[in-house]
Amino acid sequence: MLTLFHAPRSRSTRIIWLLEELEAPFQLRHVTIRYRDGRGDGPDPANPHLDKKVPALLHDDMLVTESAAVAVYLADLQSDAGLAPPISDRHRGPLLSWISWVEGEFGPAIFQRLAAGTEKPAPWHVTRQPRTPAA
Ligand SMILES: N[C@@H](CCC(=O)N[C@@H](CS)C(=O)NCC(=O)O)C(=O)O
């Protein structure tokens, strides 16, 4: 049995989308989280994620976390759906590259931009030093 721990307007929404694309039967469990803007009811004791974040996936008693890992895990599990090339296929390389790029490069850049638009300054605003003109 697959159980997805989900909070609205969060990274777990795209895992619902993926599960539906894969036509995988799953159980949805709503949990509360603390959102970046301070809203939300905070960490939920019912959430098995070690950091109380979402998404968290339970496959029977096996916990899978981190969006990229959850996505690849599910695509492999439902291999008949054809969303992920098999492990021995060379097309696996681009799949892993793109999914790692989204989480490791693109996502953080977007969040830095979003943070810059709020009262909370982006990290480069905090750390950037005024330039001293060259002598
Ligand atoms: N790298 C993790 C990040 C998970 C994450 O930060 N999820 C947010 C929702 S989008 C969350 O649960 N935040 C609650 C908190 O930080 O306490 C992933 O991609 O799964």
Side-chain angles (χ1 to χ4, degrees):
M1 164 59 82
L2 293 169
T3 306
L4 177 68
F5 292 81
H6 163 68
R9 289 171 285 105
S10 79
R11 285 176 169 87
S12 53
T13 303
R14 57 193 174 173
I15 304 299
I16 297 176
W17 181 15
L18 175 60
L19 283 159
E20 289 175 354
E21 287 290 330
L22 293 168
E23 298 183 2
F26 69 102
Q27 185 180 24
L28 192 65
R29 289 276 306 273
H30 281 86
V31 289
T32 59
I33 58 169
R34 181 188 51 239
Y35 290 89
R36 290 170 66 91
D37 62 5
R39 285 177 299 115
D41 291 334
D44 193 326
N47 186 352
H49 194 297
L50 298 179
D51 299 322
K52 303 296 179 201
K53 294 184 177 187
V54 291
L57 179 78
L58 273 180
H59 184 184
D60 300 329
D61 60 351
M62 186 60 67
L63 177 65
V64 188
T65 57
E66 291 304 313
S67 301
V70 172
V72 175
Y73 183 84
L74 288 172
D76 287 346
L77 193 65
Q78 299 290 118
S79 56
D80 287 353
L83 286 191
I87 287 175
S88 56
D89 191 317
R90 66 193 178 91
H91 293 101
R92 187 87 175 171
L95 167 78
L96 296 175
S97 296
W98 280 111
I99 203 160
S100 299
W101 178 81
V102 165
E103 288 305 308
E105 300 283 346
F106 182 70
I110 292 293
F111 277 115
Q112 183 161 334
R113 283 286 178 91
L114 288 174
T118 68
E119 289 174 19
K120 186 177 171 198
W124 61 266
H125 278 133
V126 177
T127 56
R128 201 170 177 187
Q129 300 297 315
R131 281 214 183 151
T132 315

